[in-house]
Amino acid sequence: MIRRGFQAAVRLGQHRALFGGPQVLPRLNPTSAFGSSTDALVSRFCPEKTDLKDYALPNASWCPDMLDLYQEFLEKTKTDGWIKLPSFKSNRDHIQGLKLPSGLAVASDKSDWRIFTRCIQVEGQGYEYVIFFHPSEKKSICLFQPGPYLEGAPGFAHGGSLATMMDETFSKTAYLAGEGLFTVSLNIRFKNLIPVGSLAVLNVHVEKIEDQKLYMSCIAQSRDQQTVYAKCSGIFLQLQLEEESPQ
Amino acid sequence: MLRGCAGLLRSWALRGPKRGRSFSSEVLHVDHSLPNPSWNEDMRLLFDQFMKKSEDGSWKRLPSYKCNPPERIEDVKIFFPDAKLLKEQMSQAQQFPRSLGEGVGFEYAMFHNHVEDRTVCIFQGGPHLQGVPGFLHGGAIATMIDSALGMCAILTGGIAMTANLNINFRRPIPLCSVVVINCQLDRVEGRKLFVSCNIRSMDEKTLYSEATRGGPEGGGSAPCDVIISVDYQDWSQVLWHLKLAQFKKFKKKNANLCINMSFCLKRGKKPQHAAAAVIWKTRSLPSGLCRQFTRSASRLHP
């Protein structure tokens, strides 16, 4: 299983989606050996050598807090078992060689489709974020800095932008911790507004995995943990991706 | 003063910012809730349907601009005097759902019915809102829900900020498809406004998600534990199956009971569906009544 995972990671193929309309989500087959291990998923998710642009790297728009924390966690990737997740233009780039279960894949996969959190390409204007994942403790940290294009109330980030960031962090954590694919529910309690251009640290934990669902919780707070911006609990559905048939 | 602010905000929501104010670019005065070349056929069809409904005055299209108007900025300064609204950032800032380019992000238009007191938003998600390949990002859906419910709350209650957002996703929404978000105000408790919505496909046959949003938090308990949506053929069936009279008697004895029934009845020559959303706190109801609800609901909506 792991060998197959590594082989697929090395293979650089073009992926094509199956044609078919979306139907009711398929149930996971409980008799099949469930899923790849976290290590296999991580190795496929974070290809060592790739031509794809990684957006989760520091740039001129990052505030000093964000740069400091980034360096701190980069050190921890060498010592404490953390992994920095790359962030590509589309989720499809993370799952090369895999496809959605038949019945879910949609028609025509256009190359101009991008992941929502990387839609605003101007540096510093939209989502500036980086996610660090800890495989053994099944937890993540996301450093998030909202730009001026994410404004809701004047001077503060839109509630939806924080919801998006939480959903995105949940999504990456759920996939790597247990092949979680789709959001089932999100329950967000907003406490304080995030000023545009300031840092928010999102801590995500996987509480439990049962009944084909992953239960996660998240707290978004300032760097010094004095201000809590929001608390959220999310449930993700586990679904195994299928290997693409060799062309 | 507060009432004045609320009135200002409501009039802004309905009419849009005055022209000739401080924004430098002409582009920022453009009303984006109007058809543009990126809208597909379904979106235009829905838009025309709602514009037709607006002719008798019950429905009204809500304009939508890229930037917050100066009045709203002043209002926020009143409530958040410590906010450091840097001048540079203010000039660059754009309302989030409108900050993506034409056709690639959020294409939407909102309509408000003051008679039925509900808001409808027609939404087409563009190719830059992807999550799982081929489907809309959960966060994009959450953003749209927050915007639509926020507008619904503002129109009814004045200035409002989101305190709680609770979304149940039922089905993934394919990218570049058109959906209808139906929002309504459920109840008002002091400073808290409880609004709820559901997202359906154009033909209303597919339910994509349901959400509720609570206004400013005051240490109150979560309003919703269970949400059931059922389609009823006739309102008399609703009354009979839910034993409304019995329920009302129960409600009188228990002031803290949170029960809210909101329904939409369309009368016409053909029998119409009446949709009822029933929300209750299960621990406040005796178990017998809970079972009755569940049985009635499952009989009508297997």
Side-chain angles (χ1 to χ4, degrees):
Chain A
M1 170 75 89
I2 295 177
R3 208 182 306 144
R4 199 150 43 95
F6 280 126
Q7 283 171 355
V10 163
R11 200 178 355 132
L12 296 171
Q14 288 293 328
H15 14 265
R16 295 180 220 289
L18 259 193
F19 294 137
Q23 291 159 25
V24 178
L25 295 173
R27 295 294 300 177
L28 195 71
N29 182 359
T31 56
S32 69
F34 185 15
S36 331
S37 69
T38 304
D39 290 330
L41 286 167
V42 168
S43 64
R44 170 170 286 196
F45 194 86
C46 315
E48 281 192 6
K49 283 183 189 154
T50 175
D51 295 330
L52 298 161
K53 181 177 174 189
D54 182 359
Y55 287 90
L57 291 171
N59 59 52
S61 66
W62 285 26
C63 64
D65 277 341
M66 188 148 169
L67 288 166
D68 285 340
L69 266 183
Y70 176 78
Q71 289 304 325
E72 202 182 298
F73 276 95
L74 216 52
E75 293 300 315
K76 288 188 187 178
T77 58
K78 297 168 193 161
T79 53
D80 286 350
W82 286 89
I83 294 171
K84 178 183 118 42
L85 300 184
S87 174
F88 301 133
K89 193 187 88 164
S90 163
N91 267 334
R92 194 163 279 290
D93 299 326
H94 285 292
I95 53 167
Q96 294 195 9
L98 294 171
K99 62 178 198 298
L100 286 171
S102 50
L104 266 180
V106 284
S108 72
D109 178 17
K110 297 183 187 152
S111 58
D112 64 342
W113 288 1
R114 329 170 52 101
I115 191 174
F116 179 37
T117 43
R118 294 295 177 198
C119 58
I120 298 171
Q121 297 169 61
V122 185
E123 241 178 45
Q125 298 295 326
Y127 294 95
E128 290 294 340
Y129 70 96
V130 56
I131 304 177
F132 291 90
F133 176 65
H134 200 292
S136 48
E137 293 181 31
K138 290 198 179 5
K139 62 180 186 183
S140 305
I141 272 208
C142 172
L143 311 176
F144 169 46
Q145 181 186 297
Y149 281 16
L150 303 187
E151 198 185 69
F156 297 100
H158 196 280
S161 67
L162 182 60
T164 303
M165 212 54 245
M166 286 177 158
D167 183 58
E168 179 61 19
T169 317
F170 277 155
S171 151
K172 297 290 184 287
T173 314
Y175 178 69
L176 293 173
E179 292 188 280
L181 217 52
F182 288 106
T183 323
V184 171
S185 90
L186 273 180
N187 189 339
I188 311 176
R189 277 102 43 212
F190 294 94
K191 310 282 181 196
N192 280 298
L193 296 168
I194 306 180
V196 162
S198 68
L199 174 70
V201 182
L202 279 68
N203 288 286
V204 169
H205 290 262
V206 177
E207 306 279 329
K208 63 181 180 188
I209 304 178
E210 81 180 20
D211 197 27
Q212 205 181 349
K213 290 190 207 137
L214 284 118
Y215 295 80
M216 289 173 285
S217 66
C218 171
I219 301 182
Q221 48 200 354
S222 58
R223 185 187 178 184
D224 53 11
Q225 302 187 354
Q226 292 299 315
T227 321
V228 174
Y229 294 122
K231 292 185 185 173
C232 177
S233 52
I235 307 176
F236 269 69
L237 187 71
Q238 285 179 315
L239 269 181
Q240 264 181 306
L241 293 172
E242 294 171 353
E243 293 281 345
E244 269 190 348
S245 43
Q247 299 281 329
Chain B
M1 183 190 74
L2 271 172
R3 232 176 283 150
C5 292
L8 253 174
L9 201 67
R10 218 169 294 139
S11 65
W12 159 75
L14 288 170
R15 268 182 262 125
K18 293 183 195 154
R19 290 191 174 265
R21 284 261 172 158
S22 56
F23 300 112
S24 49
S25 171
E26 282 286 322
V27 174
L28 301 174
H29 285 165
V30 172
D31 181 354
H32 290 273
S33 307
L34 291 168
N36 62 57
S38 67
W39 285 25
N40 61 29
E41 276 177 29
D42 291 339
M43 185 80 170
R44 285 173 195 272
L45 187 65
L46 270 177
F47 183 82
D48 292 337
Q49 280 174 5
F50 276 99
M51 288 308 283
K52 234 182 176 176
K53 287 188 196 179
S54 316
E55 280 164 15
D56 67 354
S58 56
W59 286 92
K60 190 163 190 156
R61 187 185 66 84
L62 304 174
S64 166
Y65 301 89
K66 268 208 170 183
C67 288
N68 280 309
E71 298 96 13
R72 193 162 182 224
I73 296 172
E74 292 306 316
D75 293 338
V76 169
K77 279 186 185 163
I78 292 165
F79 288 100
F80 299 93
D82 300 328
K84 294 169 205 160
L85 299 169
L86 301 167
K87 250 192 170 167
E88 276 176 26
Q89 279 183 348
M90 292 317 302
S91 60
Q92 289 172 10
Q94 297 188 18
Q95 270 289 298
F96 176 31
R98 291 292 179 203
S99 59
L100 284 79
E102 189 180 280
V104 292
F106 298 91
E107 291 295 335
Y108 64 94
M110 296 204 205
F111 296 87
H112 179 71
N113 186 325
H114 61 272
V115 171
E116 294 173 30
D117 206 13
R118 61 190 187 99
T119 309
V120 170
C121 173
I122 53 176
F123 168 51
Q124 175 186 305
H128 286 196
L129 303 186
Q130 184 173 242
V132 173
F135 296 99
L136 215 49
H137 195 282
I141 302 170
T143 303
M144 212 52 241
I145 288 176
D146 188 40
S147 297
L149 289 178
M151 184 57 78
C152 188
I154 286 174
L155 287 172
T156 319
I159 299 171
M161 303 272 175
T162 319
N164 269 30
L165 189 60
N166 191 343
I167 310 176
N168 295 315
F169 297 90
R170 305 268 183 233
R171 281 177 162 75
I173 302 180
L175 212 51
C176 304
S177 66
V178 178
V179 292
V180 180
I181 310 176
N182 299 292
C183 317
Q184 75 239 354
L185 177 72
D186 290 331
R187 66 185 188 277
V188 180
E189 281 178 15
R191 285 174 61 220
K192 296 189 222 180
L193 300 159
F194 292 89
V195 282
S196 68
C197 77
N198 56 55
I199 303 188
R200 291 186 178 272
S201 55
M202 264 189 77
D203 54 11
E204 297 198 2
K205 285 189 182 152
T206 316
L207 177 65
Y208 287 113
S209 19
E210 290 161 313
T212 58
R213 178 186 188 268
E217 207 186 23
S221 42
C224 305
D225 287 327
V226 180
I227 299 177
I228 292 183
S229 278
V230 290
D231 287 320
Y232 293 94
Q233 293 288 336
D234 192 80
W235 179 236
S236 57
Q237 270 191 337
V238 175
L239 289 174
W240 187 75
H241 283 287
L242 294 181
K243 299 205 174 162
L244 191 61
Q246 191 177 347
F247 219 16
K248 275 184 177 166
K249 250 193 249 173
F250 185 81
K251 190 178 173 180
K252 270 189 198 162
K253 289 184 197 169
N254 296 270
N256 291 331
L257 194 63
C258 294
I259 301 173
N260 187 314
M261 251 187 295
S262 60
F263 56 94
C264 168
L265 264 181
K266 291 180 201 169
R267 293 198 176 90
K269 286 183 184 170
K270 295 178 186 171
Q272 300 289 328
H273 295 289
V278 179
I279 306 164
W280 72 81
K281 269 191 194 174
T282 50
R283 57 182 178 276
S284 304
L285 282 176
S287 52
L289 213 52
C290 278
R291 278 201 296 273
Q292 219 167 37
F293 265 96
T294 324
R295 265 205 303 265
S296 312
S298 57
R299 221 181 298 141
L300 286 167
H301 192 70

